[in-house]
Amino acid sequence: GFSTVARTGWGVMVSQPQGELKEHAAEVRRAVEALVIIGLFIAGVLSWLISGAMVRPVEAVVRAARQIESGNLASRVPKKTGLVPKEFQELGESFNAMASDIATVMMQRERVEDELRQARDELERRVEERTRELTDEIAERKQTEEALRRSSFTGTSSKGAR
């Protein structure tokens, strides 16, 4: 190694065996390799954690969408806080608002369909009732008409016989 003497400004050089130098270089190399491996491991773990934080909110939205698709209109995306990016929180909130709107529309639709079904049933009942009344009235008129024909025929026959 080489060193300078502060007061004099002279340099001092001490000879060092090459093997010792190579051994020191090998130690430095091993330390660098260990740091690279540790750094890669830490980077891998951090990447896995960050990707999980990015994917989980999207998976929650997909899960809720599939549940709604299968008929569970009460399904919502759980509200997440902490390490979840703001955009994913907004996505979940927007999805939940949309799901609520869809559920409201579907309930209103079902209510209107029930009202239409009841109105149709009432109309069918009235039509059947009126048809029955008209059928009875027609039958009654036919009987009256037939009775008038008979009485008119009988009256005409008796006038002609006199």
Side-chain angles (χ1 to χ4, degrees), residues 45-63 77 80 82-89 91-92:
V45 169
L46 286 176
S47 296
W48 180 73
L49 290 173
I50 290 171
S51 69
M54 300 294 232
V55 170
R56 273 191 293 282
V58 175
E59 287 175 339
V61 171
V62 169
R63 232 182 346 268
V77 176
K80 301 274 183 172
L83 295 177
V84 178
K86 182 178 107 179
E87 292 81 2
F88 289 123
Q89 290 175 357
L91 174 65

Side-chain angles (χ1 to χ4, degrees), residues 31 69 128:
E69 178 185 23
E128 287 174 6

Side-chain angles (χ1 to χ4, degrees), residues 143-156:
Q143 287 174 351
T144 305
E145 188 178 302
E146 186 62 37
L148 284 174
R149 257 194 238 128
R150 272 192 244 132
S151 72
S152 152
F153 178 70
T154 321
T156 311

